[in-house]
Amino acid sequence: MRGKFEMEDRISTLPSNIIEAILLRLPIADAVRSSVLSSRWRYEWSTIPHLIFDKHSVPLSLHYKLDKIVDQVLLLHSGPIHKFVFDGSACLEDCSVVNRWITVLSRNSLKELVLRFCPDRIYKLPSTLFFCKGIVILELHDCEFRLPRVFEGFGSLCTLSLENVVISDNDFATLISKCSLLEKVAFMDFYGCSRLRFNAPNLRELIIDGLFEDIYLENTPDLAILSVGLDDADDLDDEGDSDNEDLENKEHYNFMTSLNAVPKIENLSLRHNMLELLAGDSLLDRLPTYSYLKKLYLTCVNFEDTKHIAILRCLFRSAPVLEELTIEADSVDSSNPAASFWEGKECADFRFNHLRYLTVTEILGVGPEMELIEFVLANSPVLETLFIRLDNDVCDEVKIYKQIMRFRRASTRAEIINLD
């Protein structure tokens, strides 16, 4: 009996900041249960500033009444709520209850908000959300945006992540421009907008994945990480997408011009159909020198298409300090067949003087693919590793690997690693 009381005393005498640190590391269900440990702990959980309701913090057996649990916790909670996470993707039938929660949160010093709903049931954001002036991190899934007529912006917002959202071109441009401290934006699977404008002077990282017509980087002088993936219109549902045309029917793209306005880029990823988009741009040969670009990641590169080869040459010439190059091939017969990877005098004095890692995947062993590998090996004096993975349809793998192993290497320490 004495030991029991001693243990209770030890728990009761812990400093408040230690108790809060312990509770913050517990799932919300366990934090609430801590109230039975001692009289001192009875109400400690009700002041924790982070409230997380997801499959990790609430037992699956209780998810059918997750909305009621949230209601009860918010009712009993006292003090600021700095972080609120709710994942109702599998259980919430009535999204209107969230309006009530956001009203409560808007009065409680909210700094981080994460909401996820069912992808098939889009939640219309209430106007009260846009008056949470102190938000620093905002992550929203499966939502519809309609900015209020008077929107002063999120003056403290640094990180914005939107996925499976409905928003108009004007509302998106306004949202970005009214958040002057934005440093990171992730925008994926969006509907209702096709011309994406970014007026964000402090933006450092931008991730875009979806179907769009154009990207305008109007004021992003400090952008360091840019990852863009252009979806295929065929991958989207027919409903609501009738206005989207095939890439070859587009007449104007501003993205290449935007690439001229990001001199501090360090990491560039062009994925899915981006090379098809760039292939028709007359500004292809006018890229500036990227003095900070160290990582370049390209997918769906058709080595049989002379336009894709031209893009590669252009990007290589513009990246004199490149250290890591990753290419995922997608070589198929083209109406613009590529005769050779490097032609003319441009290859005579070109070197990858800083390249340390080259990764080439899904290759078939066609001529231009092999020429790229041979050229990089012969002109990369500090190359450390070449990673290779062949396409599943390749028949004579041994022959291709033997050919690659015979290529001359400018770097004596360069090794070739098979990823298969």
Side-chain angles (χ1 to χ4, degrees):
M1 183 68 73
R2 180 182 176 183
K4 177 182 177 182
F5 286 121
E6 286 179 353
M7 180 60 71
E8 182 175 348
D9 288 340
R10 290 178 184 177
I11 294 175
S12 298
T13 57
L14 285 174
S16 295
N17 62 321
I18 299 298
I19 295 177
E20 180 177 296
I22 294 173
L23 293 174
L24 284 175
R25 287 164 174 77
L26 293 176
I28 187 66
D30 292 336
V32 173
R33 291 192 188 103
S34 70
S35 61
V36 303
L37 291 176
S38 73
S39 57
R40 168 78 187 283
W41 283 63
R42 180 169 299 170
Y43 301 107
E44 289 291 341
W45 74 268
S46 66
T47 62
I48 57 175
H50 295 177
L51 300 179
I52 300 175
F53 304 90
D54 58 18
K55 61 182 180 180
H56 304 293
S57 61
V58 179
L60 290 175
S61 60
L62 298 178
H63 272 219
Y64 73 96
K65 58 177 182 179
L66 187 57
D67 55 338
K68 294 180 176 59
I69 293 174
V70 176
D71 274 334
Q72 189 70 10
V73 169
L74 290 178
L75 178 64
L76 298 176
H77 192 277
S78 60
I81 301 174
H82 294 156
K83 179 178 181 178
F84 184 87
V85 177
F86 177 78
D87 184 351
S89 56
C91 63
L92 192 63
E93 296 184 0
D94 182 11
C95 291
S96 63
V97 297
V98 183
N99 296 359
R100 182 168 63 251
W101 303 343
I102 292 178
T103 299
V104 174
L105 296 171
S106 66
R107 302 167 181 166
N108 282 275
S109 306
L110 186 64
K111 297 183 182 300
E112 180 175 353
L113 177 63
V114 179
L115 297 176
R116 185 188 299 270
F117 302 95
C118 178
D120 298 329
R121 187 178 298 163
I122 298 299
Y123 167 60
K124 294 183 179 180
L125 294 167
S127 59
T128 49
L129 171 66
F130 302 104
F131 296 97
C132 297
K133 304 298 184 182
I135 286 185
V136 177
I137 299 174
L138 181 60
E139 180 180 335
L140 301 173
H141 303 255
D142 319 309
C143 296
E144 179 179 350
F145 271 82
R146 288 188 182 179
L147 294 182
R149 291 183 179 179
V150 179
F151 176 60
E152 298 179 357
F154 297 114
S156 302
L157 190 64
C158 293
T159 300
L160 175 65
S161 180
L162 305 176
E163 183 175 5
N164 192 32
V165 297
V166 178
I167 187 171
S168 68
D169 284 332
N170 288 337
D171 277 356
F172 181 75
T174 301
L175 176 65
I176 297 298
S177 64
K178 292 285 188 177
C179 303
S180 59
L181 297 184
L182 267 179
E183 296 179 0
K184 179 179 179 178
V185 173
F187 193 43
M188 298 166 287
D189 298 333
F190 42 86
Y191 306 91
C193 60
S194 59
R195 298 184 178 273
L196 314 180
R197 296 183 179 273
F198 294 88
N199 180 358
N202 291 296
L203 192 63
R204 292 274 304 166
E205 181 176 353
L206 175 59
I207 301 171
I208 300 173
D209 222 325
L211 182 64
F212 54 86
E213 292 184 16
D214 213 341
I215 298 175
Y216 300 82
L217 302 177
E218 297 177 338
N219 182 21
T220 57
D222 292 331
L223 191 62
I225 301 174
L226 176 61
S227 177
V228 185
L230 176 60
D231 286 345
D232 192 327
D234 293 337
D235 293 336
L236 300 177
D237 296 332
D238 292 334
E239 184 176 354
D241 296 313
S242 57
D243 292 337
N244 294 311
E245 303 170 25
D246 293 334
L247 282 177
E248 56 266 25
N249 294 328
K250 301 296 182 185
E251 296 181 354
H252 173 71
Y253 291 100
N254 192 67
F255 183 64
M256 184 61 79
T257 303
S258 294
L259 286 178
N260 284 272
V262 287
K264 296 182 181 179
I265 198 75
E266 299 174 9
N267 187 333
L268 177 62
S269 297
L270 301 176
R271 297 172 285 106
H272 308 323
N273 293 304
M274 285 305 296
L275 263 63
E276 282 297 309
L277 184 150
L278 297 177
D281 203 302
S282 60
L283 300 176
L284 187 60
D285 293 323
R286 303 182 192 178
L287 283 180
T289 297
Y290 297 117
S291 301
Y292 301 91
L293 183 57
K294 296 183 178 181
K295 295 183 179 181
L296 180 60
Y297 178 82
L298 306 170
T299 72
C300 298
V301 179
N302 185 2
F303 283 87
E304 298 277 34
D305 191 328
T306 186
K307 291 184 178 180
H308 283 210
I309 298 299
I311 295 172
L312 294 185
R313 295 175 189 155
C314 179
L315 289 170
F316 293 165
R317 287 196 305 266
S318 299
V321 298
L322 191 64
E323 294 182 2
E324 298 182 28
L325 172 61
T326 301
I327 298 177
E328 180 182 311
D330 186 21
S331 299
V332 294
D333 291 339
S334 170
S335 58
N336 302 295
S340 175
F341 185 78
W342 289 104
E343 296 176 339
K345 298 180 180 180
E346 61 182 326
C347 67
D349 57 354
F350 186 87
R351 297 290 183 273
F352 294 93
N353 288 321
H354 298 269
L355 191 66
R356 297 170 55 220
Y357 303 102
L358 170 64
T359 302
V360 187
T361 63
E362 316 310 323
I363 64 173
L364 295 170
V366 297
E369 293 174 345
M370 303 301 281
E371 288 178 8
L372 165 71
I373 296 171
E374 181 178 20
F375 186 85
V376 174
L377 285 174
N379 293 279
S380 303
V382 298
L383 187 70
E384 296 180 15
T385 310
L386 165 62
F387 298 98
I388 294 288
R389 182 170 64 235
L390 302 184
D391 188 86
N392 292 331
D393 294 333
V394 171
C395 297
D396 198 344
E397 297 181 5
V398 175
K399 179 181 178 181
I400 295 175
Y401 281 123
K402 282 184 176 180
Q403 182 179 354
I404 293 174
M405 295 299 294
R406 288 196 295 266
F407 289 152
R408 183 178 68 84
R409 308 177 198 181
S411 172
T412 57
R413 57 179 179 174
E415 61 176 339
I416 300 175
I417 296 179
N418 177 9
L419 296 177
D420 290 320

